[in-house]
Amino acid sequence: MTFTERLEDHASRVERHLDAWLSTEKLGAVPDRLLDAMRYGTLGGGKRFRPFLVIESAALFDVPVEKALNAGCALECIHCYSLVHDDLPAMDNDDLRRGRPTVHKAFDDATAILAGDTLLTVAFEIIAHGSTHPNPGVRAALGLELARASGGAGMAGGQMLDLMAPGKTLGETDIRTLQAMKTGALITYACVAGGILGEAGKAELAALKTYGDALGAAFQLADDLLDAEGDAAVVGKATGKDQEAGKGTLVSLLGLEAAHAKLQDLKAQALAALAPFKGRDAMLADAAEFVVARKF
């Protein structure tokens, strides 16, 4: 199976698993409008790249796909909640996501806020569920690391720094810190979570973290390059917004040529981190190639 086929296969599995979780059968008597907004913001689109990383990192330790789906879907709920909130008028004020109206446009601002809030809590309901892993210590570790990656010292904190950034002169260290929190933290978590599911040792978890850190930085840099160079019809969202908002990015700081060179350097760092898994790392290596080459 090629990388693209594997990505699509995992995405289909994740879609079906999310569809089952985002239901009154699983979650109880969620008001229809709220559940509809949650499902609208989560189902029917997206590469499911973060769950893919959970599944493939877990596969390094012989964890079958079906045993990694809960952790992957919990992470995807966090990611989708962040997109729903990030698109709101008070934040990035986007009208388009994955080629269709954003949740606050399809519903309203208040419903979008509550949909994001509920997706956040559903993520931890999934992680805590007995079907995620038979070892409660593993479930606790997954939940602790997910809280750290998505909270004030992770994604949410990075979003705060991003909101404060327009009009400021940010150096390379500032930009790297912001992006490592806002985007990188959840990607790093995806890689480490697979190791936690597989009850990996400290050295193996450290290698996965190094890989995830480099991959997350590359993912954000590629995203910034898409914003600068991409076609909105292909990307599925508005482009050119970083420059319009006056946001500091590595692209604006380094220029296009140097940013592309940096992207290749980050790919090399990610690939080097996979050395302990040589012979088993083909899909994770291909994931680094995918991030660098992606057009959407």
Side-chain angles (χ1 to χ4, degrees), residues 153-167:
M155 181 198 68
Q159 288 177 317
M160 185 75 257
L161 292 177
D162 194 40
L163 289 171
M164 295 166 59

Side-chain angles (χ1 to χ4, degrees), residues 153-179:
M155 181 198 68
Q159 288 177 317
M160 185 75 257
L161 292 177
D162 194 40
L163 289 171
M164 295 166 59
K168 290 185 177 181
T169 302
L170 299 181
E172 186 170 349
T173 299
D174 298 320
I175 294 170
R176 286 180 179 279
T177 298
L178 185 163
Q179 294 184 344

Side-chain angles (χ1 to χ4, degrees), residues 47-62:
K47 296 177 289 295
R48 311 301 187 194
F49 184 61
R50 290 157 189 81
F52 173 89
L53 292 173
V54 175
I55 292 166
E56 290 299 336
S57 296
L60 294 173
F61 308 97
D62 298 320

Side-chain angles (χ1 to χ4, degrees), residues 124 142-154 189:
F124 290 96
L142 287 169
L144 176 61
E145 292 304 318
L146 184 57
R148 287 173 172 166
S150 57
Y189 173 81

